[in-house]
Amino acid sequence: VFTVFYCSVTNGGKTTLAEKLKKMLPNCDIISQDDFFKPESEVETDERGFKLYDVLDALYMDEMVKSIRNWMKNPGSSGVVTEKPQNTCDNLKNTDHVYILIVEGFLLYNYEPLNELWNRRYFLTLPYEECKRRRSTRVYQPADTPGYFDGHVWPMYLKYKGELEENASNVVYLDGTKSQEELLSCVYSDIIQELKKLRE
């Protein structure tokens, strides 16, 4: 079992990249942090009326850890399609016995119990203006209230990114302004190298 943790700021492109990687890698599955949000009624509201979604307390993190551990214990029964990836090449020879889990989310490296579960981890960054632009094109349920990005989303990103830089090692930082193709190629090559090391 080989676990890839893939984290980014909101709208950093992590889900798209994870889905594309899944098609390229053998026996690959995805667990998304977005699937563990608490219902709106359980998410705290601050004094400005902002729903505090961009904090760990807005998520069932213990359930997420449990899901990852269950997958790792028995990846073959997780519903992973074991057919050959789309672009089978020499790089992927002898990987039939490897199961790969991609865990993608926006707050993965600030929750201690997750830190013992990864083999490789990436962090995709975006500058403020580009992140805000992308966020404005998305429709959320519940919808972003005026000032939400500047008042909650971006400050929380900076807070958690600061904690990450202070405490974490072995994180591969990626520039989210690069093209999807470039990012995909970079991460794919890196994972293949890691799998080779694992085999050796």
Side-chain angles (χ1 to χ4, degrees), residues 9-22:
V9 62
T10 177
N11 296 279
K14 59 191 172 298
T15 307
T16 308
L17 193 63
E19 291 291 347
K20 287 183 176 177
L21 272 172
K22 181 180 176 179

Side-chain angles (χ1 to χ4, degrees), residues 26 29 38 65 82 155:
D29 206 357
K38 293 176 180 175
V65 172
T82 53

Side-chain angles (χ1 to χ4, degrees), residues 49-158:
F50 292 153
K51 280 280 180 189
L52 304 181
Y53 275 104
D54 288 58
V55 297
L56 287 166
D57 282 347
L59 297 139
Y60 293 119
M61 290 303 295
D62 52 342
E63 290 297 318
M64 185 178 188
V65 172
K66 200 187 294 180
S67 294
I68 296 168
R69 286 190 184 282
N70 287 341
W71 188 96
M72 290 170 78
K73 272 185 220 151
N74 203 354
S77 68
S78 62
V80 174
V81 180
T82 53
E83 65 190 43
K84 284 280 180 236
Q86 284 175 356
N87 60 345
T88 301
C89 59
D90 289 345
N91 286 333
L92 289 170
K93 279 182 181 167
N94 307 319
T95 55
D96 287 348
H97 62 292
V98 177
Y99 285 91
I100 299 170
L101 178 64
I102 299 171
V103 180
E104 62 96 359
F106 68 108
L107 274 182
L108 297 177
Y109 307 147
N110 307 82
Y111 189 66
E112 198 60 43
L114 286 176
N115 288 341
E116 57 201 55
L117 301 178
W118 56 269
N119 290 96
R120 198 76 175 135
R121 56 184 180 171
Y122 304 92
F123 191 90
L124 207 149
T125 61
L126 273 183
Y128 167 83
E129 290 297 342
E130 176 60 13
C131 186
K132 189 172 185 178
R133 184 193 69 75
R134 291 188 193 180
R135 177 92 181 192
S136 70
T137 65
R138 295 275 293 275
V139 178
Y140 288 92
Q141 280 303 332
D144 282 359
T145 51
Y148 189 67
F149 180 83
D150 287 313
H152 176 61
V153 176
W154 189 255
M156 285 300 102
Y157 164 65
L158 293 179

